[in-house]
Amino acid sequence: MLYQFIDYMRRFFRPMQDLSAKYSVMQSSMASSERIFQLLETPAEIADGPGVASSKPVPGLEGTVRFENVWFAYRGEDWVLRDLSFEVGAGERVAFVGATGAGKTTIISLLSRFYEVQRGRILVGGIDIREMSQNDLRRRVATVLQDVFLFNGT
């Protein structure tokens, strides 16, 4: 008889426990979604110049990627990249390898135009990336980071 009573009490309170757990998950989801919407509403620091999106549609954008005398610093004159120049031809594969803080991620961020170059220029297919819309440019750039989660396995 005592066992039955305890069992009935558990069965009675289980839906309330489940409901409170669901409420907790809903609250954390609401807080997360609020943070996501704040991020989405944050204005971009780098904007396309006036008339860039409509002036030069870039249909194929085939060709080389060229960094010409690129200088970049996150703050002031503390240069991360100094007078960097290189060219990657169409169809070539390139890997940026180096110590932590050498500028590998900065190079890709500049190519994707998450930051602006302070000196020099970056050309894609012979066109300065500041003259094309960010949407056109970013549609054509793919980055594979060193922590790859594309496939299960080695």
Side-chain angles (χ1 to χ4, degrees), residues 7 9 13 21 25 29 37 54-55 63 65 74 78 89-90 95-97 100 103 113-114 119 134 138-139 151:
D7 188 45
M9 290 302 287
F13 284 109
V25 168
S29 298
F37 287 124
S54 60
S55 66
V65 173
Y74 289 101
D78 188 17
F96 294 105
V97 181
T100 301
R113 216 165 153 225
F114 295 133
R119 298 182 197 164
Q134 292 178 28
R138 291 177 184 165
R139 242 183 243 131
F151 305 105

Side-chain angles (χ1 to χ4, degrees), residues 44-62:
E45 290 182 18
I46 298 173
D48 291 331
V52 167
S54 60
S55 66
K56 282 194 177 181
V58 187
L61 231 178
E62 295 175 8

Side-chain angles (χ1 to χ4, degrees), residues 72 95 118 131:
F72 178 76
Q118 274 98 5
E131 295 176 9

Side-chain angles (χ1 to χ4, degrees), residues 137-151:
L137 177 65
R138 291 177 184 165
R139 242 183 243 131
R140 291 169 172 84
V141 175
T143 304
V144 179
L145 302 173
Q146 71 187 52
D147 296 326
V148 182
F149 296 104
L150 296 176
F151 305 105

